[in-house]
Amino acid sequence: MDMVTIAEVEDTTLAIVLNAALRAHGFHPAEGGDRGLPGLPGVIGPKGIAIVVPEDEAEDAQLLADDLLKEMLKR
């Protein structure tokens, strides 16, 4: 099954919370991708940390992720 990036965030904590929230809503984000580049924990790529889900969940997960990020980034 192909995986699709639905969001990219610059904050490791935000990535962890977003992945946990997606799991709590029944989605299946990729394991271990919320802490940085594979094999290099804490190292974040130029676009941030990718939030990745299976292709068949991507559309609905994208909607939820967008709403969650909007709420989490409110100031």
Side-chain angles (χ1 to χ4, degrees), residues 47-71:
K47 293 183 180 179
I49 298 170
I51 307 300
V52 182
V53 299
E55 186 176 31
D56 62 338
E57 299 177 1
E59 187 175 342
D60 292 334
Q62 176 80 59
L63 293 172
L64 178 59
D66 289 346
D67 285 345
L68 290 171
L69 285 170
K70 184 191 266 184
E71 279 298 311

Side-chain angles (χ1 to χ4, degrees), residues 12-26:
T12 303
T13 304
L14 187 60
I16 293 168
V17 170
L18 184 55
N19 275 328
L22 287 167
R23 282 189 196 92
H25 284 84

